[in-house]
Amino acid sequence: AAKSGVDFEDKYLLWHNKTLPFQIYFRKNEKGFIITISSIGNFKLITKTNEEVSSFSNKNKTVFANLKEGNYTLIYESFSEPIKIRLK
């Protein structure tokens, strides 16, 4: 069945680990993937070619937008182990 109009439903994948003090939301739009981290902190997202992805943040979250498919590493200042992320 076809549906006309705009769908405003926010669709995302939530990743939450009980040992981490934050949650990670994954979304996809026409420009690519969006990773939103619901926490205050110093987060870095690194590509497989060791380039740092720019982000924007406010007092509640950090957002990495317009990401392409691939492997990324999320580094959080309070943890010694990075988080590996694969977008596809």
Side-chain angles (χ1 to χ4, degrees):
K3 181 178 179 182
S4 62
V6 179
D7 184 7
F8 291 105
E9 182 180 336
D10 187 19
K11 297 179 183 179
Y12 60 88
L13 174 68
L14 171 63
W15 184 76
H16 180 67
N17 185 320
K18 294 178 185 178
T19 62
L20 300 176
F22 55 86
Q23 297 175 333
I24 303 175
Y25 295 85
F26 298 92
R27 293 175 173 85
K28 186 175 181 185
N29 64 19
E30 64 278 351
K31 294 181 181 178
F33 292 92
I34 302 165
I35 296 175
T36 304
I37 303 167
S38 62
S39 178
I40 301 169
N42 188 14
F43 293 93
K44 289 184 182 180
L45 188 65
I46 308 296
T47 66
K48 66 180 179 180
T49 58
N50 289 329
E51 296 177 38
E52 187 173 342
V53 177
S54 62
S55 67
F56 58 92
S57 58
N58 62 23
K59 62 181 180 176
N60 299 323
K61 62 185 174 184
T62 300
V63 178
F64 300 95
N66 303 328
L67 302 171
K68 304 301 178 203
E69 290 184 353
N71 296 317
Y72 296 87
T73 302
L74 181 66
I75 300 170
Y76 180 52
E77 62 187 3
S78 299
F79 292 105
S80 59
E81 290 294 318
I83 298 171
K84 302 290 184 177
I85 299 172
R86 181 178 173 197
L87 300 175
K88 70 178 217 176

